Amino acid sequence: MARSKKKAKRVAEPVAMPAGYGERVIRVTRAGKVRKNFWLDPTALKHAKKYLGAATEREAVEMALDLVGFRSELSAGAKALRGMTVSRLD
């Protein structure tokens, strides 16, 4: 009998935080992700984690990658608006 190599998909659940932090949801799904190993500067990672307000180093890296994609979309939007004439609304 062959066993399936597929792992069960994890679902995001609210995580209890200390008083004053409220409730936080961490993305823990493995769907569509690949495993990678990197050597990262611990000081830069700590700074990114603090700056982004991430609970874990992994979350900090994912947020940083999301920001790179957002920057690209923002740049494309700005380029699309270049040369566009805007008139007053009043």
Side-chain angles (χ1 to χ4, degrees):
M1 179 186 258
R3 293 183 73 193
S4 175
K5 292 184 179 182
K6 248 186 188 178
K7 291 188 178 182
K9 186 177 177 182
R10 289 198 247 169
V11 181
E13 296 178 13
V15 175
M17 299 295 286
Y21 286 93
E23 195 174 284
R24 178 180 210 142
V25 175
I26 300 176
R27 297 177 298 176
V28 289
T29 181
R30 289 184 181 174
K33 295 188 179 179
V34 293
R35 184 173 181 84
K36 298 287 181 183
N37 294 316
F38 296 99
W39 290 94
L40 300 172
D41 178 5
T43 305
L45 191 54
K46 183 178 177 182
H47 176 72
K49 183 179 168 188
K50 182 178 178 182
Y51 182 79
L52 296 169
T56 64
E57 292 175 345
R58 177 183 171 167
E59 186 180 14
V61 171
E62 288 184 350
M63 289 173 78
L65 291 172
D66 287 343
L67 285 171
V68 170
F70 175 70
R71 181 180 178 183
S72 174
E73 292 170 3
L74 207 68
S75 177
K79 286 178 184 175
L81 291 174
R82 193 180 323 170
M84 185 178 198
T85 306
V86 180
S87 60
R88 293 182 65 150
L89 296 174
D90 58 351

